[in-house]
Structures are given as C-alpha cells and as structure tokens.
C-alpha cells in the first residue's frame, strides 16, 4: 500500500497496516480501523489523523455512533472526504447494522421481549426520529411480516388501530407486537406511549388479534410495557 509523506513519518507501531499485520484487527482502535478503510489521508494529514477527525466530526455524538448518525452528504463536507470515502464509510455502517441483526437472528420463535428487542435494536436505535413498527406473528410466534405504521412522534391521536389491524389481517397474523424508538436513547415510556398501547390492545381484543407487547427501543436498552405491568392482562 502506497503511503503519503505523513504516513511514512509515523512510527511503525502507529501505522495501522503494520499493527494489523502483526497483532490482528482486534488490536486496532476504532480510529485505526477507520484509517485502514480510508486508505489515504492528504498532504496535510495522515489517514490516521483524518480518521480521528471523522470520528470527532458529529456535533452531538463522537465516535462510531456519531459516524453512524452522519449522512453521506454530511461526510462529504469534511475536508479530505470525497464521495467515494463517504460511500465506503456509510457502507461499513450498513454492514455493521446487518451483521448485528443477523447475529441476533429471529430464531425459530419470538418468545420473549429480549429476543424481539435484540433483533430490532440496530435497526432502530440510531434513527433520528420516532418510528412505530408493527411486528406480525403467526400462531407459533414466528415473524411473518412487519410494517412501519408512522414516522415522527408516536401520538395517540395519529396512530390508527384500524390501520394496524388492516395490516395484521393482510398478513393473516394471529398476534402483533408494537415497537418504537426513542431518539433520546431513554426508553422510558411516556403517557402517550401508554395511551397508544391501551387503544391498540382494546382494538385487538375486538378484532381477535392479540397485542402481545409494546417494546420501546433506546440506545442499547429497551423497555417492554408488558414486563413493566403497564399492559392489562
């Protein structure tokens, strides 16, 4: 790999390629991993310095979470990051999301809030606005479909139980689970969240399709309204 002058000036133990070759990828810092992905820096800075600047560039969140939250256009505004580098960074973010979801895996059945939250965590924890997702299950609690019901604040006056159960009927679901994210990272349910849950649960009883749970996704955390005793039995 051809190095620019800035890379050649780094001590050997600080060069990401050499460190990776000698110690393996697991020994590298996030900054060093990003540097290898970027491959080159510029005349003014090494790939390692550029990687560090990228990881510090999000105004509200540094590190990999900040990188994940940035769009391709935002990355391209950074000196030294063109379209190709921006695309590479976003592709790695997407690969990490898919890997986390495949590793969690739905298994044969969704039998616990933990299993459901683990499966959807990487899909929902980084979203910048609230989204309400409907998970539809068959008689063996296996996933048969999912549908985004709303985007924006999960407001009881805007969430329509009719729309929810039309989707459930379309998939011939036996039961459903609601999931939504809190961009703040705190999954504590609001009074509006509780209201939505009660309205949908009551409608489900009339329709013969059970609402099994409403799970709120935060930043690496979740709250199950069923586990919290907020849903009526």
């Amino acid at each position: 790999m051809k190095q620019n002058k800035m890379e050649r000036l780094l001590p050997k133990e600080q060069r990401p390629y050499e460190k990776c070759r000698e110690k393996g990828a697991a020994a590298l810092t996030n900054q060093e991993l990003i540097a290898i992905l970027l491959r080159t820096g510029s005349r003014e800075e090494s790939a390692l310095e550029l990687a560090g600047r990228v990881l510090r560039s999000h105004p509200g969140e540094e590190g990999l979470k900040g990188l994940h939250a940035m769009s391709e256009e935002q990355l391209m505004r950074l000196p030294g990051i063109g379209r190709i580098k921006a695309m590479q960074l976003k592709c790695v973010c997407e690969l990490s999301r898919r890997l986390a979801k495949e590793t969690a895996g739905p298994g044969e059945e969704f039998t616990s809030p933990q299993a459901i939250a683990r499966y959807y965590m990487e899909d929902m924890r980084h979203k910048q606005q609230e989204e309400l997702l409907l998970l539809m299950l068959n008689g063996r609690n296996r996933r048969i479909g999912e549908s985004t019901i709303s985007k924006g604040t999960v407001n009881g006056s805007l969430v329509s139980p009719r729309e929810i159960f039309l989707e459930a009927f379309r998939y011939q679901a036996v039961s459903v689970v609601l999931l939504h994210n809190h961009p703040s990272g705190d999954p504590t349910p609001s009074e509006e969240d509780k209201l939505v849950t009660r309205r949908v649960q009551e409608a489900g009883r009339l329709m013969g399709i059970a609402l099994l749970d409403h799970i709120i996704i935060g930043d690496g955390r979740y709250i199950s309204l069923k586990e919290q005793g907020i849903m009526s039995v």
Side-chain angles (χ1 to χ4, degrees):
M1 180 67 200
K2 186 177 180 181
Q3 298 174 317
N4 67 14
K5 182 179 179 181
M6 297 302 297
E7 265 102 31
R8 289 195 298 270
L9 290 175
L10 287 173
K12 184 179 179 181
E13 64 274 10
Q14 292 182 24
R15 298 175 196 167
Y17 278 95
E18 280 79 355
K19 185 176 178 181
C20 185
R21 187 182 301 116
E22 293 177 4
K23 300 182 179 180
L28 272 61
T29 65
N30 292 340
Q31 183 177 349
E32 290 167 339
L33 289 168
I34 296 297
I36 286 182
L37 178 68
L38 294 173
R39 300 178 64 200
T40 60
S42 65
R43 291 182 179 180
E44 291 75 29
E45 60 185 353
S46 66
L48 190 62
E49 290 168 329
L50 176 58
R53 184 158 54 79
V54 168
L55 291 172
R56 295 189 300 270
S57 58
H58 190 275
E61 189 81 60
E62 290 192 357
L64 294 178
K65 287 170 61 178
L67 174 59
H68 201 290
M70 294 181 72
S71 67
E72 187 176 315
E73 289 71 25
Q74 287 174 314
L75 287 167
M76 288 173 60
R77 296 190 194 113
L78 301 176
I81 301 295
R83 180 167 296 278
I84 297 300
K85 281 186 168 66
M87 288 174 60
Q88 289 171 331
L89 290 170
K90 293 311 296 179
C91 284
V92 166
C93 289
E94 177 61 18
L95 279 172
S96 69
R97 185 193 68 81
R98 295 186 190 187
L99 177 60
K101 191 170 183 178
E102 286 193 19
T103 301
E108 285 298 308
E109 301 174 352
F110 277 135
T111 56
S112 70
Q114 181 183 17
I116 297 171
R118 185 172 64 244
Y119 184 71
Y120 285 99
M121 181 62 69
E122 291 306 311
D123 275 350
M124 303 187 75
R125 66 184 290 199
H126 299 293
K127 292 183 181 296
Q128 300 300 300
Q129 63 176 346
E130 287 190 20
E131 292 189 13
L132 180 65
L133 183 73
L134 177 68
L135 167 64
M136 289 161 282
L137 305 170
N138 65 15
R140 298 181 64 180
N141 287 338
R142 291 179 178 173
R143 174 183 172 277
I144 56 175
E146 63 186 51
S147 179
T148 300
I149 300 300
S150 69
K151 294 185 179 183
T153 302
V154 176
N155 186 305
S157 63
L158 299 177
V159 175
S160 167
R162 180 178 181 274
E163 181 182 354
I164 287 172
F165 289 104
L166 280 175
E167 278 294 285
F169 279 124
R170 188 164 71 88
Y171 280 86
Q172 298 183 333
V174 172
S175 58
V176 296
V177 175
L178 291 177
L179 299 101
H180 84 274
N181 62 303
H182 280 181
S184 67
D186 180 0
T188 302
S190 67
E191 290 304 315
E192 198 69 44
D193 296 335
K194 298 174 187 178
L195 174 62
V196 169
T197 304
R198 295 189 190 105
R199 290 180 64 223
V200 175
Q201 189 175 35
E202 289 169 7
R205 289 196 182 106
L206 294 174
M207 299 289 183
I209 300 176
L211 174 65
L212 299 183
D213 206 345
H214 184 173
I215 297 171
I216 302 175
I217 302 291
D219 187 9
R221 299 181 290 156
Y222 76 92
I223 282 181
S224 156
L225 272 67
K226 181 179 180 181
E227 288 182 332
Q228 294 290 310
I230 294 171
M231 293 177 60
S232 59
V233 179

